[in-house]
Amino acid sequence: MTTTDREVRIAHGVLDLAHRRTGFDPLELLHDLTAEAVALLPVRSAGITVLEPDGTGVVYVTASDELCLALEEDQIELNEGPCLDSARSRRPLPVLSLSEPPASIRWPRFAPRARRAGITAVAAVNLHLPQLSLGALNLLMAGPPFPGTHDLRLAQTLADAAGAALAFRQQLADKDQVLDQLQTALDSRLVIEQAKGVLSARLGVDMDEAFQRLRAHARSRQQKLTDLAARITRGDVPTDLLEPAR
Amino acid sequence: MVRGEFTDLLNSLYRTADTGGDLTDAPAAEAARLLRLDALTLALRSRRGMLELLWADPADPLGPELEDLQYTLGEGPTLEAARSGHAVIETDLGAAPNDRWPLFAPAACRTPVRAVIAVPLLLGVATAGVLTGYRTAPGPFPDGQYQDFTRFARVTLELLLHTPTHALASGTQGPDLHRAAVHQAAGVLTAQLDVTIDEALVRLRAHAWRHDLPLLHVARGIIAGSLRLSPDH
């Protein structure tokens, strides 16, 4: 089997979407997805709309060009259109001509608007996003020719590649948050051990007793143990903590 | 067949991690044997960049001893791996260049350890901690051994991230903070000498180094009142 230039181009496009440097900009990735779709498929434009998990609030809109961007925003304004349908249903949408049913019935206001802009047909594939967000990649055609089954599968593959990069990024962000909590816990622990030492020296008691006093004091005053400990290690020991135990 | 046993251990640790298990579920002695090492340690990095030893074979003091040496002297492979974000390997501590770890290398050579490998546990660009392996025989770490070590490091990072934060912060349960007594002793010193915690830690480390004593020995002496450091240097 020999490899064509187009196949090499596709493989490169998929890799570019799926594999990004740590800390990449997700918005840039989605814009690149629209550019790859236009470069590799028989479409006039490509746009993306991302919605909140409940399917209403708009998180983000991008497109390969101004015309498509305007049509993505029109869909939001009219609350109808292929990109919203695909995003909300989490399903792809086959190629539909805008001048006949079902498109003309399903989108009575969007279809004429898109036709006036020179768009003859639309299609969409679902974008799998982390944290339950909804999204779709919208394909706009000024043809024929229209994308075939294989073209739509390629579009889905490109969208899935971008989705994988976004999922990995989210996973990393989640772990980063966990690490942050872990390091905060370690810092708390260190300062508590240090405060135990200060109290044991000031009160002439052992570490267990020092810890009991520290905890009891924080609890009775509804203070955070870590805050009280930090204060003590700075040399600022509350005077009533130094009084003999009741 | 060590190879198959190691793969079994890795798989079982990934299953443990998947069900929320943490470092207390990982057998340090067993892992060290399968990695053909004599000691394994894992340190968590605090926000301020301090490394605190959280995991080692509880029955073998060798790993903790080497980690405490680095903590005392402020230099060594674990610290270097954390600072650089890269793996650090020394195949013969006895023959290391004098400027590599001028204090740590000779001190380490008074223990049976001769070779060391330290790998940072990286999360994106952040360093969560360091996994360090010690071997009593000098010599290179062959490719297979190095790869196994980094694979093991990845699963320990997953387990580390499952450390219960409340237990770690309060010290009631969870992993044992190996140098807890050092921090308690620093607290005692701040009260006795009227210095800051950072200064107290420096004084404690300096005393251990000057008198060639284990750091924890000095810490326990200060806590028990059997050792008092003088107010001036």
Side-chain angles (χ1 to χ4, degrees):
Chain A
M1 228 157 87
T2 54
T3 307
T4 65
D5 284 351
R6 178 175 156 75
E7 286 161 355
V8 171
R9 176 72 190 77
I10 290 170
H12 194 269
V14 171
L15 180 65
D16 175 58
L17 293 172
H19 185 75
R20 299 248 151 166
R21 193 180 284 274
T22 306
F24 71 90
D25 179 358
L27 307 186
E28 196 178 299
L29 172 73
L30 293 180
H31 185 263
D32 289 352
L33 172 58
T34 66
E36 290 287 358
V38 171
L40 295 172
L41 300 164
V43 303
R44 157 77 168 77
S45 308
I48 288 171
T49 296
V50 175
L51 303 172
E52 302 273 6
D54 66 0
T56 55
V58 177
V59 179
Y60 182 62
V61 177
T62 189
S64 57
D65 55 75
E66 289 303 316
L67 169 95
C68 186
L69 187 63
L71 286 173
E72 291 293 315
E73 283 164 351
D74 283 349
Q75 293 185 49
I76 294 161
E77 182 202 321
L78 301 169
N79 196 28
E80 65 173 50
C83 206
L84 294 187
D85 281 6
S86 174
R88 285 172 181 159
S89 67
R90 297 178 181 273
R91 296 176 69 85
L93 215 65
V95 176
L96 294 175
S97 163
L98 287 174
S99 47
E100 58 197 69
S104 57
I105 296 169
R106 203 153 149 189
W107 309 309
R109 289 173 295 170
F110 171 74
R113 226 185 250 201
R115 276 207 314 272
R116 278 198 298 279
I119 301 304
T120 56
V122 295
V125 294
N126 200 246
L127 193 55
H128 303 286
L129 298 165
Q131 292 190 317
L132 302 172
S133 293
L134 303 173
L137 171 67
N138 200 10
L139 305 173
L140 305 183
M141 280 70 78
F146 297 136
T149 319
H150 289 318
D151 291 315
L152 291 185
R153 277 175 62 187
L154 175 55
Q156 186 66 66
T157 302
L158 294 172
D160 288 350
L166 291 171
F168 182 69
R169 181 179 178 278
Q170 184 59 46
Q171 222 177 38
L172 205 60
D174 289 347
K175 285 186 180 177
D176 215 49
Q177 203 185 349
V178 171
L179 174 60
D180 204 54
Q181 290 162 354
L182 200 55
Q183 290 182 320
T184 303
L186 176 60
D187 280 346
S188 293
R189 174 71 181 280
L190 297 183
V191 85
I192 289 168
E193 297 296 346
Q194 291 159 0
K196 278 158 67 177
V198 175
L199 281 185
S200 99
R202 296 284 294 268
L203 297 167
V205 298
D206 68 14
M207 291 300 159
D208 284 341
E209 174 69 19
F211 189 39
Q212 297 308 329
R213 301 260 190 112
L214 187 69
R215 263 214 307 225
H217 189 89
R219 197 177 292 145
S220 67
R221 281 154 190 80
Q222 298 191 325
Q223 260 184 306
K224 272 183 74 183
L225 190 60
T226 312
D227 293 343
L228 176 62
R231 187 180 154 187
I232 290 169
T233 57
R234 285 194 301 268
D236 178 13
V237 185
T239 43
D240 43 353
L241 234 178
L242 294 174
E243 288 161 8
R246 278 149 288 169
Chain B
M1 177 73 198
V2 168
R3 183 87 214 148
E5 275 185 77
F6 176 69
T7 306
D8 288 348
L9 174 69
L10 263 192
N11 291 338
S12 108
L13 288 178
Y14 270 113
R15 278 197 299 276
T16 303
D18 282 345
T19 52
D22 61 37
L23 283 171
T24 54
D25 298 315
E30 169 85 346
R33 179 179 70 82
L34 295 175
L35 286 165
R36 282 159 287 150
L37 295 166
D38 296 294
L40 262 182
T41 61
L42 189 146
L44 170 63
R45 191 169 189 259
S46 79
R47 277 169 192 275
R48 295 181 61 199
M50 303 271 273
L51 288 168
E52 289 296 333
L53 181 59
L54 274 198
W55 178 81
D57 176 8
D60 184 2
L62 186 61
E65 183 186 350
L66 271 294
E67 290 295 306
D68 284 347
L69 262 183
Q70 296 190 52
Y71 191 90
T72 305
L73 303 171
E75 63 177 39
T78 308
L79 297 173
E80 195 177 309
R83 281 177 198 143
S84 69
H86 297 295
V88 174
I89 289 175
E90 180 52 64
T91 56
D92 189 352
L93 283 163
N98 285 338
D99 60 349
R100 182 146 205 199
W101 300 306
L103 300 175
F104 173 75
C109 281
R110 279 181 274 139
T111 77
V113 164
R114 288 298 172 270
V116 60
I117 176 170
V119 169
L121 306 178
L122 297 175
L123 198 57
V125 290
T127 301
V130 180
L131 179 74
T132 307
Y134 297 97
R135 204 179 55 200
T136 54
F141 296 91
D143 282 353
Q145 191 178 14
Y146 176 78
Q147 275 152 20
D148 284 352
F149 192 78
T150 56
R151 285 167 71 199
F152 186 73
R154 274 196 291 277
V155 78
T156 57
L157 173 59
E158 296 294 322
L159 295 166
L160 173 66
L161 291 177
H162 289 151
T163 304
T165 49
H166 180 73
L168 176 62
S170 60
T172 43
Q173 277 167 352
D176 184 36
L177 186 68
H178 171 69
R179 279 188 290 267
V182 172
H183 292 279
Q184 292 165 4
V188 172
L189 283 183
T190 60
Q192 287 176 349
L193 307 179
D194 194 24
V195 295
T196 64
I197 285 285
D198 286 345
E199 168 80 18
L201 280 168
V202 169
R203 295 288 301 276
L204 212 157
R205 289 164 50 198
H207 186 88
W209 178 68
R210 205 177 304 126
H211 299 274
D212 197 17
L213 291 167
L215 191 65
L216 279 173
H217 179 89
V218 173
R220 290 187 184 119
I222 289 169
I223 291 168
S226 58
L227 172 65
R228 286 189 81 95
L229 302 192
S230 58
D232 34 85
H233 284 63

